[in-house]
Amino acid sequence: MKKQVICSTVFPLLCILLLFLSVEAQTCSPSGKIKGKTPPPGQCNQENDSDCCKDGKWYTTYKCSPPLSSQTKATLTLNSFERDGDGGAPSECDNQYHSDDDPVVALSTGWYNNGKRCLKYINIHGNGKSVRAKVVDECDSTMGCDSDHDYQPPCPNNIVDASKEVWKALGVPENDWGEMDIYWSDTD
């Protein structure tokens, strides 16, 4: 009761600042960095304009993703989930490769949530359309620049890495595939 009186009458600006800081503390901050190394010849598949790690460059890592809402903002990227595609190893959820003609995605580490979204569906909204896609993999935000990650840098913490079918279903012209701002949510 006493704190409430102080906040409402004596220090309203201080209370607003404290509230802002407590909300700000719930955001996702970097957890570290890894140093890139040049991939062995032929070991980084750049099929979908994927980046390869560069020797000596530092890459930010995350153990979290931005907080979820009913419409979580994210960046949609293009990934191949097929054998010999730029996705690297088989999908984390079922140890299988998936056709790029299926609407499948990988989520950044925090949203992947230790596999709790595995083989569940999410709704993706972008380009004025929506598509339902199955979560089959993690877009690893904690590690990269090694053979398991196709010598690609760690994912940013706000990625929905999607198959070609997702891009098609959203009606994005093929020459615009690569990165796009979207919103996503869990299905009911």
Side-chain angles (χ1 to χ4, degrees), residues 125-169:
H125 310 279
N127 197 40
K129 297 187 176 191
S130 294
V131 62
R132 188 172 175 255
K134 185 191 287 187
V135 176
V136 297
D137 207 355
E138 174 183 16
C139 193
D140 200 335
S141 305
T142 66
M143 298 187 313
C145 300
D146 58 17
S147 61
D148 283 350
H149 299 90
D150 199 38
Y151 294 96
Q152 295 174 17
C155 266
N157 66 347
N158 65 337
I159 297 296
V160 175
D161 208 12
S163 66
K164 292 176 182 179
E165 182 56 32
V166 170
W167 287 85
K168 287 179 191 173

